[in-house]
């Protein structure tokens, strides 16, 4: 029994040490690579650098109408941000008339700010300066491939129009096909009073006909990037309401990464001091608690990587707070165990009784903290959400390690040591 316990404990310790090594240093063997945890975890705006903008709607609309405008505006901003290629942007409506946009890891903040807040009307204008279509008539615009005159695949930008747009476009394109000069067949696509494209309708002699099905393509020797940008601008169209920029902040990646490195160092020092304190006060149980805290840290980081949770500075604060909750749970349990030993129970019985008596207190305190974390997540925005998420993950992981894993490891050690020397259990 004792030998079996030694083997199991040794295997668990080896797995924990091996996992910790991989988390800190990573591993690369041939084409197989395990990335270091600090590089694998997604960083939020304040650590990766980027921008956040708070926009306020300039409108007298209220109630349901205002809500509808804000939802439309949010959807359009989302389309514009997608065009920037930003990974996992955070776009949220704050209050009734404000939208907060957070873009992490963006290369050109000023371009992003200008694109997000652009409110001009998208218009399609014929050579006689008549407005043929507006942004509301465009259902979608995408990059697509087509076969050119040489039978080779080329890049184009497709358009799909609504019923009203289809009728107007059919009438105008039908007339333009009859014009002999190419400059008289141009339709200017204008956004923010600037021409973003000026395609010409094919004449009758070139085989052109009226575009009556509401579907058209724009050709013009586009590169994939040029076509994608044009499609995004057409698709994003115009905001349904003017948005005023209330607050903008640009965070440099250097500052964010410096804070990240310092946070990791601070966390490592804090964990080390906790290990020393727990072992000094509780001896064997303190050592087991330290192993439990390492397992807790590994579980928390793994869950954050798998769920692609963005780590922010407030999120790190949430993790540190959950470490404190994990230590607190261990202190409560170990004090109960010491009380049980002092009244004459064997160490094996004291461990069972200590965990059993402390369980309700540990669960009650953690459940209340989880409730607070859930409220922060649902009602908070930006960094507050990040704090709530990491706090919830950390608390669940800490309960798992403090109540289940630490108990199992401690009982293994009791069976190894024989459970007769009470001093090594801090009594």
């Amino acid at each position: 029994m004792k030998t079996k316990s030694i083997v199991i404990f040794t295997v668990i310790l080896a797995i924990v040490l091996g996992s910790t090594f991989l988390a800190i240093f990573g591993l690369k063997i041939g084409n197989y690579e395990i990335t270091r945890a600090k590089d694998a975890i997604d960083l939020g705006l304040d650590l990766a650098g980027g921008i956040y903008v708070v926009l306020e709607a300039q409108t007298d609309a209220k109630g349901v109408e205002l809500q509808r405008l804000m939802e439309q505006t949010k959807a359009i901003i989302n389309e514009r941000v997608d065009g920037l290629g930003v990974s996992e942007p955070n776009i949220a409506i704050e209050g009734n008339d404000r939208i907060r946009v957070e873009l992490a890891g963006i290369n050109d903040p000023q371009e992003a700010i200008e694109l997000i807040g652009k409110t001009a009307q998208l218009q399609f204008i014929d050579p006689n300066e008549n407005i043929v279509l507006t942004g509301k008539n465009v259902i979608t615009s995408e990059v697509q491939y087509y076969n050119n005159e040489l039978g080779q695949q080329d890049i184009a930008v497709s358009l799909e129009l609504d019923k009203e747009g289809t009728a107007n476009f059919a009438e105008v394109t039908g007339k333009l096909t009859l014009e002999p000069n190419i400059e008289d067949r141009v339709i200017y696509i204008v956004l923010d009073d600037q021409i973003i494209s000026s395609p010409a309708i094919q004449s009758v002699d070139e085989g052109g006909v009226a575009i009556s099905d509401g579907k058209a393509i724009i050709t013009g020797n586009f590169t994939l990037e040029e076509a994608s940008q044009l499609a995004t601008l057409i698709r994003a169209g115009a905001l349904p309401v003017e948005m005023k920029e209330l607050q903008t902040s640009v965070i440099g990646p250097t500052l964010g990464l410096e804070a990240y490195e310092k946070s990791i160092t601070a966390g490592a020092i804090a964990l080390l001091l906790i290990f020393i304190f727990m072992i000094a006060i509780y001896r064997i149980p303190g050592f087991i608690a330290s192993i439990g805290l390492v397992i807790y840290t590994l579980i928390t980081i793994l869950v954050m990587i798998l769920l692609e949770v963005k780590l922010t500075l407030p999120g790190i604060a949430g993790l540190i707070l959950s470490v404190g909750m994990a230590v607190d749970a261990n202190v409560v349990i170990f004090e109960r165990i010491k009380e049980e030993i002092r009244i004459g129970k064997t160490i094996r019985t004291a461990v069972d009784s200590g965990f059993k008596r402390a369980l309700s207190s540990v669960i009650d305190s953690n459940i209340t903290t989880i409730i607070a974390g859930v409220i922060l997540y649902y009602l908070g925005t930006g960094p507050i959400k990040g704090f709530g998420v990491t706090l919830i993950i950390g608390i669940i992981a800490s309960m798992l390690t403090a109540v289940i894993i630490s108990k199992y490891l401690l009982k293994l050690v009791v069976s190894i040591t024989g459970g007769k020397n009470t001093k090594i259990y801090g009594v």
Side-chain angles (χ1 to χ4, degrees), residues 2 31 33 56 70 101 131 165 185-188 194 201 221 274 342 345 358 384 406:
K2 185 176 178 179
N31 295 327
E33 182 177 5
E56 184 180 65
M70 296 305 293
V101 183
I131 298 174
R185 288 184 270 119
V186 172
I187 290 185
Y188 300 95
Q194 291 187 358
I201 303 296
N221 297 320
I274 290 171
R342 287 194 184 102
K345 290 185 179 178
I384 305 301
S406 292

Side-chain angles (χ1 to χ4, degrees), residues 25 30 41-42 93 96 109 148 152 193 258 263 265 280 303 309 366:
F25 301 105
I41 201 163
D42 287 335
I93 298 175
N96 296 322
N148 60 24
Q152 300 171 333
D193 296 326
E258 185 180 340
S263 299
T265 304
V303 171
V309 175
N366 282 285

Side-chain angles (χ1 to χ4, degrees), residues 61-126:
K62 294 181 180 178
V64 176
E65 176 64 14
L66 177 59
Q67 184 180 356
R68 185 183 63 79
L69 289 174
M70 296 305 293
E71 290 292 344
Q72 287 181 350
T73 303
K74 179 186 171 186
I76 292 172
I77 290 177
N78 201 47
E79 285 281 350
R80 292 179 175 182
V81 170
D82 281 348
L84 293 172
V86 178
S87 171
E88 296 182 45
N90 180 30
I91 304 170
I93 298 175
E94 289 186 349
N96 296 322
D97 59 355
R98 294 182 181 180
I99 291 180
R100 182 188 184 95
V101 183
E102 295 180 353
L103 308 175
I106 195 161
N107 294 325
D108 191 340
Q110 192 55 42
E111 180 193 2
I113 293 170
E114 290 175 358
L115 182 61
I116 291 168
K118 194 176 286 183
T119 58
Q121 185 73 29
L122 177 71
Q123 295 174 327
F124 290 59
I125 300 174
D126 71 10

Side-chain angles (χ1 to χ4, degrees), residues 395-411:
I395 292 295
I396 293 173
S398 75
M399 277 201 295
L400 178 69
T401 53
V403 175
I404 299 175
I405 297 177
S406 292
K407 181 180 178 182
Y408 181 72
L409 291 176
L410 193 54
K411 292 179 77 170

Side-chain angles (χ1 to χ4, degrees), residues 379-400:
L379 300 183
T381 59
I384 305 301
K385 274 183 180 286
F387 178 83
V389 169
T390 52
L391 182 62
I392 292 169
I393 294 172
I395 292 295
I396 293 173
S398 75
M399 277 201 295
L400 178 69

Side-chain angles (χ1 to χ4, degrees), residues 245-267:
E245 187 180 312
L246 281 187
Q247 188 179 6
T248 302
S249 180
V250 179
I251 300 171
T254 304
L255 179 63
L257 290 176
E258 185 180 340
Y260 184 42
E261 295 290 343
K262 286 184 176 179
S263 299
I264 292 174
T265 304

Side-chain angles (χ1 to χ4, degrees), residues 242-301:
E242 182 183 355
M243 301 298 291
K244 180 181 178 183
E245 187 180 312
L246 281 187
Q247 188 179 6
T248 302
S249 180
V250 179
I251 300 171
T254 304
L255 179 63
L257 290 176
E258 185 180 340
Y260 184 42
E261 295 290 343
K262 286 184 176 179
S263 299
I264 292 174
T265 304
I269 293 173
L271 278 177
L272 184 62
L273 292 176
I274 290 171
F275 293 167
I276 293 173
F277 174 80
M278 294 296 287
I279 293 173
I281 299 297
Y282 296 104
R283 312 293 172 80
I284 291 286
F287 176 64
I288 297 300
S290 300
I291 297 175
L293 283 177
V294 173
I295 296 173
Y296 151 82
T297 306
L298 293 172
I299 291 174
T300 304
I301 292 173

